[in-house]
């Protein structure tokens, strides 16, 4: 079992960046979800309500990010001295804000009033203790440091879609950080911990999926094949703590180091039972 993809998403909900290798820190892959769009009150904005965020290309710069949208322009965004209380689900983060000219440019691109928030040295946030078991830092991700998916599970999902007359989807729909090449679909439901290049990764919570999986991850279009029906047929959680269709696992790293595409992943621990699913 080897790593086939490493990805980061510097601006939450915007286009990702593929990597050949990456350091691993307590926060996950450095550079992941370090910026986020918010409304004037600080509430986070994602593709769920604004699909065109998928059209934004991001490149990290020394003090911020270079952002661009085809046909609309580009802008260099750096934190200003202003700050905002940025809300991600139930978390409130003290975040830096981009300058007014950058925020105005982004608002023009997206057709609504937005601000760009930065997770900087003054910002702090922790993943849920209910699932991680101890205090672990996380940036603007939905809740946890790393998302892991597997090739065999995607193949099984696409096989079900094909059997039901639906077209296939790619792994980019699920926005993973680490993709593992596997032979057995859904084996990850039994994994409690992995080891990659001497680093322990705990699989702490399955990932419930939303409307973002139904959107093209470069255009934001929803006029594309959707995996939601297949996930409903195969992967509807029976555990009320994590309702809805599941694909991939949220992972918390328990060490630091570096990993690369091609690295071997080894199962360290397994759960006595897999996750409970509704049967149809």
């Amino acid at each position: 079992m080897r790593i086939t993809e490493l990805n980061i998403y510097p601006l939450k909900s915007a286009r990702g960046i593929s990597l050949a290798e990456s350091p691993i820190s307590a926060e996950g892959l450095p550079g992941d979800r370090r910026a986020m769009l918010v409304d004037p009150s600080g509430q986070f904005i994602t593709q769920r309500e604004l699909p065109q965020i998928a059209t934004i290309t991001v490149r990290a710069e020394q003090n911020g990010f270079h952002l661009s949208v085809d046909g609309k322009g580009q802008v260099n965004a750096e934190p200003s001295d202003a700050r905002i209380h940025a809300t991600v689900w139930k978390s409130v983060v003290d975040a830096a804000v981009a300058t007014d000219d950058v925020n105005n440019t982004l608002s023009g691109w997206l057709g609504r009033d937005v601000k760009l928030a930065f997770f900087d040295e003054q910002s702090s946030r922790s993943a849920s203790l209910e699932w991680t078991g101890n205090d672990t830092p996380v940036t603007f991700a939905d809740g946890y440091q790393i998302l892991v998916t597997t090739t065999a599970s995607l193949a099984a999902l696409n096989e079900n879609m094909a059997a039901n007359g639906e077209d296939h989807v790619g792994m980019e729909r699920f926005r993973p950080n680490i993709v593992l090449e596997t032979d057995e679909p859904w084996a990850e439901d039994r994994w409690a911990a992995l080891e990659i290049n001497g680093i322990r990764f705990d699989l702490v919570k399955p990932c419930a999926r939303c409307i973002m999986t139904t959107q093209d991850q470069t255009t934001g279009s929803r006029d594309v094949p959707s995996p939601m029906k297949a996930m409903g047929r195969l992967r509807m959680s029976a555990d009320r703590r994590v309702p809805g269709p599941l694909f991939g696992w949220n992972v918390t790293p328990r060490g630091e180091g570096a990993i690369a595409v091609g690295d071997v992943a080894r199962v360290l621990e397994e759960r006595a039972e897999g996750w409970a699913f509704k049967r149809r």
Side-chain angles (χ1 to χ4, degrees):
M1 182 164 69
R2 295 181 181 272
I3 296 175
T4 59
E5 291 183 34
L6 291 173
N7 304 293
I8 59 171
Y9 308 86
L11 172 59
K12 187 178 180 68
S13 263
R15 294 177 180 176
I17 298 174
S18 296
L19 306 174
E21 58 186 7
S22 176
I24 295 295
S25 72
E27 292 177 341
L29 281 67
D32 191 46
R33 275 85 172 195
R34 301 294 304 193
M36 178 175 71
L37 292 168
V38 299
D39 68 16
S41 73
Q43 182 69 28
F44 78 131
I45 303 171
T46 71
Q47 285 185 44
R48 297 173 182 89
E49 60 270 14
L50 201 59
Q52 57 265 47
I53 297 175
T55 64
I56 301 176
T57 297
V58 186
R59 184 179 73 239
E61 300 285 353
Q62 184 173 1
N63 297 314
F65 299 100
H66 177 86
L67 309 177
S68 62
V69 172
D70 293 343
K72 292 188 176 181
Q74 55 189 324
V75 66
N76 289 321
E78 297 182 1
S80 70
D81 292 333
R83 303 193 70 81
I84 195 170
H85 288 136
T87 302
V88 190
W89 300 115
K90 296 180 180 181
S91 301
V92 179
V93 179
D94 176 19
V97 183
T99 58
D100 288 344
D101 60 331
V102 168
N103 293 330
N104 290 337
T105 296
L106 294 173
S107 297
W109 288 352
L110 298 171
R112 61 176 286 184
D113 194 5
V114 302
K115 296 180 184 293
L116 182 64
F118 294 85
F119 197 101
D120 64 4
E121 294 78 8
Q122 297 183 51
S123 304
S124 64
R125 182 180 175 220
S126 296
S128 171
L129 288 172
E130 178 185 358
W131 295 96
T132 63
N134 62 338
D135 192 18
T136 58
V138 65
T139 57
F140 285 141
D142 270 359
Y144 300 88
Q145 294 83 358
I146 294 170
L147 180 67
V148 170
T149 60
T150 69
T151 58
S153 294
L154 179 64
L157 186 70
N158 278 321
E159 287 171 8
N160 183 273
M161 293 178 70
N164 286 275
E166 300 158 5
D167 205 353
H168 71 282
V169 296
M171 192 68 86
E172 75 282 351
R173 293 290 190 90
F174 303 97
R175 299 176 68 84
N177 296 113
I178 299 174
V179 179
L180 297 176
E181 184 177 26
T182 55
D183 297 323
E184 181 187 350
W186 321 123
E188 58 270 29
D189 292 336
R190 300 192 307 272
W191 302 341
L194 298 172
E195 180 268 324
I196 307 173
N197 203 19
I199 307 167
R200 179 187 174 103
F201 297 85
D202 285 349
L203 284 75
V204 296
K205 184 183 181 185
C207 185
R209 310 313 305 215
C210 68
I211 196 171
M212 282 181 60
T213 63
T214 72
Q215 297 167 186
D216 186 288
Q217 289 302 301
T218 58
T219 68
S221 172
R222 293 176 182 166
D223 188 22
V224 290
S226 168
M228 289 297 284
K229 288 183 178 179
M231 288 191 291
R233 290 188 291 263
L234 297 174
R235 303 285 297 169
M236 190 61 68
S237 175
D239 189 324
R240 293 182 180 179
R241 298 174 301 166
V242 190
L246 309 180
F247 189 93
W249 273 78
N250 293 296
V251 171
T252 295
R254 301 300 187 181
E256 298 189 352
I259 60 175
V261 171
D263 280 353
V264 173
R266 181 172 64 91
V267 178
L268 282 180
E269 296 178 12
E270 290 198 347
R271 292 180 172 80
E273 298 180 359
W275 196 262
F277 291 93
K278 296 179 180 178
R279 300 304 174 192
R280 301 185 63 174

